[in-house]
Amino acid sequence: MTISAFHAPLPKWLTSEHLTGMLRGIEKEGLRMNPQGYIASSPHPSALGSKLTHPLITTDYAESLLELITEPQDSPKKALAMLRDLHIVVQQSLQNDELFWPLSMPCMLSDNDNEIALADYGTSNIGKLKTLYRHGLGIRYGRRMQTIAGLHYNLSFGDGLFEQWQSAENNQQSLTDFKNDKYLALIRNFKRLSSLVLYLLGASPSVCKCFLTGREHHLQALNDSTYYLPNATSLRMGKLGYQNSVQDDLDIRYNNLPEYIQGLRQAIHTPNASFQALGMDDENGNPIQINDHILQIENEYYSPIRPKQVIKSGENPSDALANRGIAYIEFRAIDLDPYSDIGIRLSTACFMEILALYCLVNESPELFPDEEQLISQNQEKIVNQGRDSALTIQVKDGEMLFSDWISEHLNAMLPLAELLDGVYGNNDYRNALTLMFGKAQNPDFTLSAQVLQDTEHYGSTWQFGKALAEQHAKLLRSQSLGCEKDKYYQQLAKNSIQEQTKLEQQDNVSFYEFVQQYR
């Protein structure tokens, strides 16, 4: 089976008015770096509050891997403005001349994996479980893989769009079921088109030599401290990045929601021989991973896109989906834009929304493992050779020049960009698409080409990253939140500390008992 063709005409009923209910939010990760260029070993800044309970500022895998989360916003500019506020808060809280590393691939790391400190969420059982999960990831895949940073763009469409669509099709499903089917169709098409994102937005063509310690790789030496591939786009999304071979054989499908949930739950409950060999507890009886299954928890599944529902207390992600359906889509294949002081530009946000709408409204046949394998092969080509002007990929009718494939899709997106501009009364979406056209036609205009050129100019990945980090820090320090916002974020930090303390006082069983119950 081959990748499906797109380019169906737009639905006649679709107007800008149907897009007014869109909401978007951003989750942005980034490492704290010390002035010497190494990953910071200091604890999470106390001024930022509790990373366990703060709703907007937390950490991901490592203690130094910050994660900033915006609230849902009704325009991309508002989402970026809130992300900027969060960066200003962080910049004001960093101490000892630490910097916020701007690249997806990490700054300098020690040769000793154990020197990458796991995120510490305090003494509550739920906090310790979060740290245990990260310990499990470390012994399964190594800690340095978990220092990679990315950006998640979360997007939902308003019910008005789906209600009109359902009426036009005379569909008799419940609105929730109809939305589930349409969102899953979007996901399938995004997987088919993910190579677009890797090429247009990829910004990780090189890595610090230290990241490769103890790993087999196919990269070339740029110099003594940096490795790269001449035409690479997003090494973060390839075999060296946030991937693992254990999950390659997982058959988690997106053809209907019960099937997706079943696949995810099966992976949670299926033991894995290599993880069983690691054991679940150390010689002193202390847990070292949550369980020895393919996935410890559902979020361990590394996918470039996920269906999501807001989780209530006591729920896991699949329960939330089963109970209330898909609320929004999480796009996860986006590298940090190192040239932006907040990791993403308006053009990227607008392009992701055009692409999401394009994936939603086009026909989306069911997606099966043979096509998934073909998609993966194309993606690996784009990761490693995406800027090669002669590169071809596999499409419906055989081989096609990759640059022609991109241009064909971008051309078909123009009516959608015009519809989205109609929502906000500007040209932001068409401008974003024009920018992407330029990258499609000239690989030297891509982020990955610029990153590689500047890495050579500065002499290494970390020297380039540090220079940008210093520029961004200076810019962010010159900006003010204003009294009201400043008080708001200070109060959020105080409230989060009080909430963590409350959780720690509520526990009435030992952590070992808690883990046994969870297992």
Side-chain angles (χ1 to χ4, degrees), residues 132 135 279-289 511-512 515-516 519:
L132 175 62
H135 189 277
M280 291 210 286
D281 302 329
D282 64 17
E283 61 274 11
N284 297 317
N286 298 311
I288 59 172
Q289 55 180 335
F511 179 57
Y512 193 80
V515 173
Q516 296 311 312
R519 286 171 174 169

